[in-house]
Amino acid sequence: SGTGKMSNLNNSTETENISDGAGTYPWANLKDSITNIVIADGVTSIGSKAFIAYTNVTSVNIGKDVSEIGVGALSQLSACTTLSSENSNFTTDATGALFDHSKTKLIAFPCGSSVEEYAIPATVKVISYGAFSRAAHLKTITIPADSSLSTIGYGAFAFTTALETVNVIPASVETIGDIPFAQSGVKYIYCADK
């Protein structure tokens, strides 16, 4: 709860992990007992890595006043099946994946969902830091031929143990963060020819 901007206690970027401040949010000692995250109306931003790897969280609700979600803030929520937003700054698709309002940035995928195949919308330019990290059931990711994708964030598909195939990383990709597929089950990654 509260109002205004949530403190940003970490300086990670979409493609680079920086350990400073991670785990120092006031609620960090409650990490294992938190099952639902509700960002109240009046809060305008969520700090980077604010809830990273809160593995017992099953749902996240983003209040109507949030306009910014920090890097990795909702990453690695392995039990999460519901990401919802009550404002026009964010949207979700049929699987529950969370995007900015124009669907150019894929912020987080509900990692506890049973979805096995996912097609990234052609409008997505950035797959955020840890966006799919710990999505246990995901087997196939498809990126369309007409994709606008330019950036794959740090650890975007890390710990996706069931992931086998990524079709097709387009030639439009300019930046890939470190360890995008760390400890994943990926067997096949197809890349487009220029």
Side-chain angles (χ1 to χ4, degrees):
S1 66
T3 58
K5 252 184 134 162
M6 183 184 291
S7 296
N8 189 17
L9 302 179
N10 185 270
N11 294 315
S12 292
T13 67
E14 286 294 354
T15 58
E16 182 181 26
N17 180 49
I18 298 174
S19 295
D20 72 321
T24 59
Y25 286 93
W27 48 86
N29 63 328
L30 302 172
K31 179 179 181 175
D32 293 336
S33 62
I34 294 174
T35 57
N36 297 298
I37 297 170
V38 177
I39 306 300
D41 294 347
V43 176
T44 59
S45 70
I46 303 171
S48 293
K49 294 186 174 180
F51 302 102
I52 191 169
Y54 279 46
T55 57
N56 294 320
V57 168
T58 58
S59 68
V60 176
N61 185 288
I62 299 165
K64 67 181 177 115
D65 299 315
V66 174
S67 61
E68 180 183 346
I69 297 175
V71 172
L74 303 174
S75 174
Q76 300 184 38
L77 303 179
S78 57
C80 188
T81 57
T82 306
L83 296 165
S84 62
S85 175
E86 298 172 1
N87 72 46
S88 60
N89 293 313
F90 305 99
T91 189
T92 57
D93 66 11
T95 68
L98 180 68
F99 302 85
D100 66 346
H101 74 282
S102 58
K103 283 195 173 179
T104 59
K105 185 176 192 179
L106 195 160
I107 298 165
F109 183 81
C111 295
S113 82
S114 59
V115 172
E116 293 183 1
E117 296 182 13
Y118 185 73
I120 294 174
T123 56
V124 171
K125 294 180 180 180
V126 176
I127 298 173
S128 290
Y129 180 118
F132 291 91
S133 187
R134 297 194 190 275
H137 299 284
L138 205 54
K139 291 182 180 179
T140 304
I141 293 281
T142 302
I143 303 169
D146 62 343
S147 175
S148 302
L149 187 64
S150 63
T151 302
I152 298 174
Y154 178 94
F157 302 97
F159 310 109
T160 51
T161 55
L163 186 63
E164 295 178 357
T165 306
V166 177
N167 290 312
V168 165
I169 294 180
S172 60
V173 172
E174 299 172 356
T175 306
I176 299 176
D178 288 346
I179 65 168
F181 297 98
Q183 298 184 36
S184 74
V186 75
K187 296 176 184 173
Y188 308 101
I189 299 174
Y190 300 96
C191 297
D193 292 333
K194 259 198 157 177

